[in-house]
Amino acid sequence: MPLHFYRPAAALTQFETAVELNFKHWKALHNRGVSYAMNNRLDEAAQDFSATIRLHPEYANAWFNRAEVFMEQGKTDLAIENYSQAISLDAEDAGFYAGRGEAYRLQGKFALAEADLNRAIELDDRLTKAYLQRGELRLARGEYDSAAADYRAAVRNDSRSAEAFRCVAWMMATCGDERFRDPKRSLQFAKKAVELNGGENFRLLDTMAAAHANAGQFNYAVTEQQRAIEMATGKATGRE
C-alpha cells in the first residue's frame, strides 16, 4: 500500500504509547494508522486516519491514506471521495491523482481514470504506479501498443517493481493480439516478479500460471493456479 508519510513508521508500540500520552496528537494518530495499515489492520487504520482528519482536516495525507485503506477494502466510492479531498488540499501530488485514477478505472469510468493518470504522469514522469494503471486501462480498451509502451516505461522507471514485471508478463501471456504474445519472455518476466516479491502474492502466481499455460506447460499452470487460489483465500477482492 503506497501510504504517504514523511519518515519511516517506527514500531507500532511506540505510536500506541504516543497516542496514549496524548490522544489528541494528530501526527501520532496518523503514524499509528500507517503502522496499522502496514500490518493489515485496516479497520483500525481507517479509524486513526478518521481521528486525524477530525483533529487536522487540512492534512492531505490523512485523506489520501484513508482512501488507500478504502481501496484495499474494495470501497471505491469512499476512496474516490477521499482522494478528491486530498487533491483539493494539494493539487500537485502525483500520487493522489494516480490513486483516484485507479479507483475510477476499477469502476469502469475510463475517461476520468485516464485524465487522472495523465495528470499524475505530468506531475511525475517516473511514477511507476501511474504508468501501470494507465497500461491496464489501455489494455482493457485494446490499445495494445500504448499499453505496452506504458508497461515498458514502468519497468524502466523501477526495475525492482514486481507489479511492473507482472503486468508485462500478463500481457505477453494473455493479450488478444498474437503479435504481443511471447511465451518465453512472459515466463521470464513472471519469474522475475515472483523473485522480487518472494512468491507470497496470489496475483503473481496467477500470472505465472497464465504464462505457463501460454507456453503449453499445462501441468505447471495447474499447480501455480492452485497455489494462487489457496493463497487468495480471504485476500481477493471484487471480481477476483
Side-chain angles (χ1 to χ4, degrees):
M1 184 182 301
L3 296 156
H4 271 42
F5 54 100
Y6 296 116
R7 60 188 174 86
L12 176 57
T13 52
Q14 291 179 306
F15 291 132
E16 288 176 331
T17 300
V19 173
E20 287 171 5
L21 292 172
N22 183 359
F23 68 91
K24 290 188 177 181
H25 192 305
W26 64 267
K27 194 61 179 289
L29 278 165
H30 177 264
N31 287 343
R32 187 176 70 174
V34 169
S35 189
Y36 278 144
M38 294 176 71
N39 285 280
N40 204 38
R41 295 167 64 174
L42 300 181
D43 289 336
E44 292 162 292
Q47 290 170 9
D48 273 358
F49 294 141
S50 295
T52 302
I53 289 166
R54 285 194 295 272
L55 292 168
H56 189 30
E58 297 82 19
Y59 189 48
N61 283 349
W63 292 95
F64 171 81
N65 286 335
R66 190 166 70 171
E68 295 283 274
V69 169
F70 287 145
M71 285 290 284
E72 287 291 310
Q73 295 175 323
K75 302 173 181 177
T76 53
D77 284 332
L78 289 174
I80 288 169
E81 290 177 12
N82 281 261
Y83 286 131
S84 297
Q85 185 61 34
I87 289 169
S88 73
L89 294 167
D90 182 359
E92 300 301 312
D93 191 302
F96 295 174
Y97 290 96
R100 190 173 68 175
E102 179 181 4
Y104 279 138
R105 182 185 67 80
L106 292 174
Q107 289 191 342
K109 298 175 181 177
F110 295 150
L112 292 172
E114 186 157 28
D116 271 355
L117 296 169
N118 288 342
R119 179 59 178 154
I121 291 168
E122 286 174 8
L123 290 168
D124 182 358
D125 64 3
R126 296 193 62 79
L127 186 60
T128 298
K129 176 180 179 178
Y131 285 106
L132 291 176
Q133 290 301 325
R134 195 171 68 176
E136 291 281 305
L137 173 64
R138 290 172 167 177
L139 183 63
R141 293 195 305 206
E143 299 169 3
Y144 301 128
D145 284 309
S146 297
D150 276 345
Y151 290 153
R152 285 195 297 270
V155 171
R156 268 198 317 272
N157 287 341
D158 187 358
S159 62
R160 303 294 300 170
S161 169
E163 182 62 11
F165 282 95
R166 187 200 70 78
C167 286
V168 174
W170 180 263
M171 183 174 182
M172 288 180 173
T174 66
C175 186
D177 188 333
E178 291 289 338
R179 293 176 301 159
F180 294 89
R181 295 282 190 102
D182 189 326
K184 182 178 179 180
R185 294 185 68 204
S186 177
L187 276 170
Q188 289 175 343
F189 276 71
K191 289 175 181 177
K192 180 67 173 179
V194 171
E195 175 189 316
L196 288 168
N197 178 268
E200 296 303 312
N201 185 309
F202 70 87
R203 297 176 183 89
L204 301 184
L205 297 181
D206 182 50
T207 300
M208 179 71 79
H212 278 303
N214 187 50
Q217 300 172 358
F218 299 115
N219 288 338
Y220 289 120
V222 170
T223 298
E224 294 294 346
Q225 194 66 57
Q226 186 59 45
R227 289 179 61 206
I229 291 169
E230 293 168 359
M231 195 176 292
T233 303
K235 298 178 183 177
T237 59
R239 288 176 299 175
E240 290 174 332

